[in-house]
Amino acid sequence: MSQLDPLSATFAALADPTRRAILARLSEGEATVGELAQPFEISLPAISRHLKVLQAAGLISQGREAQRRPCRLELRTLRAADDWMGRYRRFWQGAFDGMDQYLAEIQKEDHDGE
């Protein structure tokens, strides 16, 4: 994944439902690899591979506290993806607002024509 630009790496990492579930769990607070693996019916090495993808994309980091290696969410990377999507959200919101206005005009015309 190192050949992808940061935004592409983020979206590639988010494309997998297991990785999205891991991020959802980390949004509640730090967790160890074992804690992250508990709800899944996949091997610990498979979870570790998912964590490596998330880490390479900059979505999580892993600390070191004695024997523990807690993972934590990195909001900066998610914020960059949200900023990128925000431009399109504003476009669609404007389009929907225009459609709402148009439908209101049609309904008013239909009501006035009765």
Side-chain angles (χ1 to χ4, degrees), residues 38-58:
Q38 283 176 348
F40 301 103
E41 294 184 14
I42 58 177
S43 68
L44 202 54
I47 289 292
S48 292
R49 286 190 294 274
H50 283 296
L51 294 175
K52 283 182 177 152
V53 170
L54 291 168
Q55 201 165 8

Side-chain angles (χ1 to χ4, degrees), residues 31-34 62-71:
T32 64
V33 174
Q62 199 167 20
R64 174 162 278 192
E65 298 172 5
Q67 297 299 321
R68 288 181 35 134
R69 293 190 48 95
C71 297

Side-chain angles (χ1 to χ4, degrees), residues 30-114:
E30 292 183 356
T32 64
V33 174
E35 292 167 341
L36 292 171
Q38 283 176 348
F40 301 103
E41 294 184 14
I42 58 177
S43 68
L44 202 54
I47 289 292
S48 292
R49 286 190 294 274
H50 283 296
L51 294 175
K52 283 182 177 152
V53 170
L54 291 168
Q55 201 165 8
L59 291 165
I60 67 167
S61 61
Q62 199 167 20
R64 174 162 278 192
E65 298 172 5
Q67 297 299 321
R68 288 181 35 134
R69 293 190 48 95
C71 297
R72 68 185 58 83
L73 199 56
E74 291 296 329
L75 296 178
R76 183 183 69 239
T77 303
L78 285 172
R79 198 171 297 121
D82 184 56
D83 290 347
W84 182 85
M85 289 185 294
R87 287 181 260 155
Y88 299 96
R89 189 179 306 114
R90 286 187 294 276
F91 167 76
W92 282 111
Q93 187 61 48
F96 289 138
D97 289 346
M99 186 170 28
D100 286 344
Q101 199 171 20
Y102 175 71
L103 292 173
E105 288 172 16
I106 289 175
Q107 287 175 343
K108 184 178 182 323
E109 289 172 8
D110 285 348
H111 186 273
D112 290 345
E114 290 179 5

